[in-house]
Short mmCIF file of all heavy atoms in Angstrom, two decimals:
data_model
loop_
_atom_site.label_atom_id
_atom_site.label_comp_id
_atom_site.label_asym_id
_atom_site.label_seq_id
_atom_site.Cartn_x
_atom_site.Cartn_y
_atom_site.Cartn_z
N MET A 1 -31.42 -20.27 -41.28
CA MET A 1 -30.20 -20.94 -40.93
C MET A 1 -30.33 -21.68 -39.60
O MET A 1 -29.78 -22.75 -39.44
CB MET A 1 -29.04 -19.95 -40.84
CG MET A 1 -28.56 -19.53 -42.18
SD MET A 1 -28.06 -21.00 -43.07
CE MET A 1 -27.32 -20.29 -44.43
N ASN A 5 -29.36 -25.64 -38.87
CA ASN A 5 -28.44 -26.14 -37.86
C ASN A 5 -29.14 -27.11 -36.92
O ASN A 5 -28.57 -28.12 -36.53
CB ASN A 5 -27.82 -24.98 -37.09
CG ASN A 5 -26.89 -24.19 -37.96
OD1 ASN A 5 -26.17 -24.75 -38.77
ND2 ASN A 5 -26.90 -22.88 -37.82
N ALA A 18 -31.22 -44.71 -34.83
CA ALA A 18 -31.67 -45.87 -35.60
C ALA A 18 -31.30 -47.16 -34.88
O ALA A 18 -32.06 -48.11 -34.85
CB ALA A 18 -31.05 -45.84 -37.00
N ARG A 29 -36.58 -46.79 -17.08
CA ARG A 29 -36.25 -45.64 -16.24
C ARG A 29 -35.92 -44.41 -17.08
O ARG A 29 -35.91 -43.29 -16.56
CB ARG A 29 -35.13 -45.96 -15.27
CG ARG A 29 -33.80 -46.21 -15.91
CD ARG A 29 -32.77 -46.65 -14.86
NE ARG A 29 -31.53 -46.94 -15.51
CZ ARG A 29 -30.48 -46.15 -15.45
NH1 ARG A 29 -30.52 -45.05 -14.76
NH2 ARG A 29 -29.37 -46.47 -16.08
N LEU A 41 -38.55 -31.93 -18.09
CA LEU A 41 -37.46 -31.19 -18.74
C LEU A 41 -37.64 -29.69 -18.51
O LEU A 41 -36.67 -28.97 -18.27
CB LEU A 41 -37.39 -31.51 -20.23
CG LEU A 41 -36.94 -32.93 -20.59
CD1 LEU A 41 -37.07 -33.16 -22.09
CD2 LEU A 41 -35.53 -33.19 -20.11
N VAL A 61 -38.24 -37.31 -33.17
CA VAL A 61 -36.99 -36.95 -32.51
C VAL A 61 -37.06 -35.46 -32.18
O VAL A 61 -37.34 -34.64 -33.06
CB VAL A 61 -35.78 -37.23 -33.43
CG1 VAL A 61 -34.48 -36.84 -32.73
CG2 VAL A 61 -35.77 -38.69 -33.85
N THR A 73 -31.26 -31.92 -24.16
CA THR A 73 -31.70 -33.31 -24.11
C THR A 73 -32.30 -33.69 -25.46
O THR A 73 -33.04 -32.90 -26.04
CB THR A 73 -32.79 -33.51 -23.02
OG1 THR A 73 -32.28 -33.06 -21.77
CG2 THR A 73 -33.21 -34.97 -22.92
N GLY A 81 -46.52 -43.66 -28.20
CA GLY A 81 -46.59 -42.54 -27.27
C GLY A 81 -45.53 -42.53 -26.20
O GLY A 81 -45.42 -41.58 -25.44
N CYS A 84 -38.58 -41.49 -24.80
CA CYS A 84 -37.35 -41.93 -24.16
C CYS A 84 -36.27 -40.87 -24.28
O CYS A 84 -36.14 -40.22 -25.33
CB CYS A 84 -36.86 -43.24 -24.79
SG CYS A 84 -38.03 -44.59 -24.61
N GLU A 93 -25.75 -24.33 -27.74
CA GLU A 93 -25.86 -23.00 -28.32
C GLU A 93 -26.39 -23.10 -29.74
O GLU A 93 -26.16 -24.09 -30.42
CB GLU A 93 -24.53 -22.24 -28.30
CG GLU A 93 -23.43 -22.86 -29.13
CD GLU A 93 -22.16 -22.04 -29.06
OE1 GLU A 93 -21.40 -22.23 -28.11
OE2 GLU A 93 -21.95 -21.22 -29.98
N PRO A 100 -21.71 -24.21 -47.27
CA PRO A 100 -20.58 -24.05 -48.19
C PRO A 100 -21.09 -24.05 -49.63
O PRO A 100 -22.12 -24.65 -49.94
CB PRO A 100 -19.71 -25.29 -47.91
CG PRO A 100 -20.59 -26.25 -47.20
CD PRO A 100 -21.69 -25.48 -46.55
#
Side-chain angles (χ1 to χ4, degrees):
M1 284 302 189
N5 291 322
R29 67 185 178 106
L41 291 174
V61 179
T73 305
C84 299
E93 64 179 84

